[in-house]
Amino acid sequence: MDRTLQDRATGACDYHVHSDRSDGVLAVDALVARLAAHGVQEWALTDHDTVDGLPAATQASAAHGLRLLPGVELSCTFNAHTVHVVGLAIDPASAPLQRVLQRLDAQRQSRAEQIAQRLSATGVADAWAHTRTVAGHHRLTRTHFARMLVAQGYVRDMKAAFHRYLADGKSAAVKSAWVPLEEAVAVIHAAGGIAVLAHPLRYARTHARRRRTVAAFAEAGGDAIELSTAAQAPSGAQDQLARYAAERGLFGSLGSDFHDPAQHWIRLGQLPPLPSQVRPIWQHPRWPHSAEAAASAPSTQVAHAW
Ligand code: AMP
Ligand code: MN
Ligand code: MN
Ligand code: MN
């Protein structure tokens, strides 16, 4: 069943994907079937603050002949702002990682209770119960609240749910102090993984602030940065980001941040090529090549030198 990964640069890989174990819509099995149908050969499951989906993802990936990198997306705080750090090729059983995930779990629960209270105060009935039903688990994210608000008819779509209730400064927004950035990078390293700054264009509008975020991430010991994403970048911003990453010696990663098939503009594995001035993440020293060698052992030839 093993397939040889022919070329990571042309839609064969995706290292930022969500399942319904966090705020994705698809269960792991359906997600893996979809990845296979889209021609993705190598991927990482990166649910928010949980590794619960990894056993099922490992099984399903093996059944479909896909290569899985165990991953997670950690909620972090830097300079009082939320930043997301993806950990790739982690050992999910790592004790320091497990401790941080438990902390985040507790923080998520108490924040979710506060969000529900605020929504109730603004006239949304049974916010907690309805959102728990939407999620099907206790690890509530703002995405679940947004889906509930759409389902209950309070807003027309997800965008409006964030704009009206859930985005920073809005009526149901609750600030949370997540894991400090340096600590998140350290626990990913302790778990043997590679720390990747997720969707860097989402944190700041100005070039100067983006540059500071990239610098802080590099100084915190971060390894890589997502430079190929499904979101459309403002003109010039992507190039500058690639330059900041290159200046800091960061590797480039690719990830769609897929959550929901209804978001038809985000397609699994359909990502622009990495900019040439950064080294691709699969050249990182901690990239797990042994599994790759094992997976491709029976094949005769690999088309590209990565
Ligand atoms: P949380 O970690 O609970 O704060 O939820 C963050 C999640 O909400 C992100 O991972 C996205 O999936 C989703 N999200 C954030 N902002 C928006 C937005 N404006 N529209 C749709 N989804 C969003
Ligand atoms: Mn999300
Ligand atoms: Mn994120
Ligand atoms: Mn994500």
Side-chain angles (χ1 to χ4, degrees):
M1 280 297 277
D2 283 343
R3 282 192 235 159
T4 303
L5 186 59
Q6 290 296 326
D7 185 357
R8 290 190 172 94
T10 54
C13 58
D14 194 333
Y15 307 124
H16 188 157
V17 177
H18 293 275
S19 78
D20 67 357
R21 302 301 174 106
S22 65
D23 61 348
V25 164
L26 299 181
V28 169
D29 283 354
L31 181 61
V32 174
R34 192 177 176 91
L35 283 155
H38 279 67
V40 176
Q41 297 173 39
E42 182 172 81
W43 73 296
L45 180 66
T46 57
D47 275 318
H48 296 286
D49 307 325
T50 181
V51 294
D52 281 8
L54 291 176
T58 304
Q59 266 200 346
S61 298
H64 283 271
L66 304 192
R67 182 161 184 253
L68 173 77
L69 282 95
V72 69
E73 182 174 14
L74 295 179
S75 305
C76 307
T77 297
F78 166 67
N79 261 354
H81 292 285
T82 297
V83 169
H84 287 176
V85 176
V86 161
L88 296 178
I90 50 160
D91 169 10
S94 155
L97 175 64
Q98 284 292 334
R99 281 196 292 275
V100 158
L101 293 177
Q102 275 169 24
R103 238 164 75 200
L104 284 166
D105 201 69
Q107 279 178 288
R108 262 203 187 280
Q109 287 211 48
S110 73
R111 184 184 71 146
E113 284 163 19
Q114 292 172 59
I115 292 175
Q117 279 165 13
R118 290 195 185 196
L119 285 172
S120 297
T122 66
V124 176
D126 298 321
W128 177 257
H130 285 315
T131 308
R132 278 296 306 261
T133 305
V134 163
H137 59 69
H138 71 273
R139 271 182 303 274
L140 302 188
T141 67
R142 286 184 296 163
T143 314
H144 299 115
F145 284 101
R147 285 196 195 119
M148 180 278 288
L149 289 165
V150 175
Q152 296 291 315
Y154 289 98
V155 286
R156 216 171 37 147
D157 56 24
M158 301 284 286
K159 196 173 164 200
F162 277 88
H163 187 73
R164 184 151 161 214
Y165 294 99
L166 297 163
D168 288 352
K170 299 302 164 86
S171 57
V174 176
K175 257 204 178 292
S176 193
W178 304 117
V179 179
L181 183 60
E182 298 77 9
E183 191 182 352
V185 171
V187 294
I188 289 167
H189 287 169
I194 303 169
V196 185
L197 183 65
H199 41 67
L201 286 171
R202 244 189 259 167
Y203 309 122
R205 281 183 212 286
T206 65
H207 289 314
R209 277 201 53 189
R210 277 187 206 123
R211 187 177 200 151
R212 281 202 296 276
T213 306
V214 173
F217 180 69
E219 277 154 28
D223 304 296
I225 172 166
E226 283 179 359
L227 289 172
S228 171
T229 64
Q232 275 234 315
S235 73
Q238 199 71 46
D239 289 347
Q240 283 209 296
L241 204 56
R243 272 206 292 115
Y244 303 155
E247 276 168 21
R248 294 281 173 172
L250 297 169
F251 289 76
S253 188
L254 311 87
S256 66
D257 204 6
F258 176 89
H259 285 74
D260 182 349
Q263 293 178 311
H264 53 85
W265 58 96
I266 296 178
R267 303 202 40 200
L268 287 162
Q270 295 299 301
L271 296 161
L274 281 171
S276 56
Q277 65 263 56
V278 295
R279 285 171 294 172
I281 189 151
W282 48 88
Q283 289 178 7
H284 190 279
R286 276 196 301 286
W287 190 261
H289 285 290
S290 52
E292 176 176 307
S296 59
S299 78
T300 48
Q301 185 125 47
V302 175
H304 293 257
W306 303 316

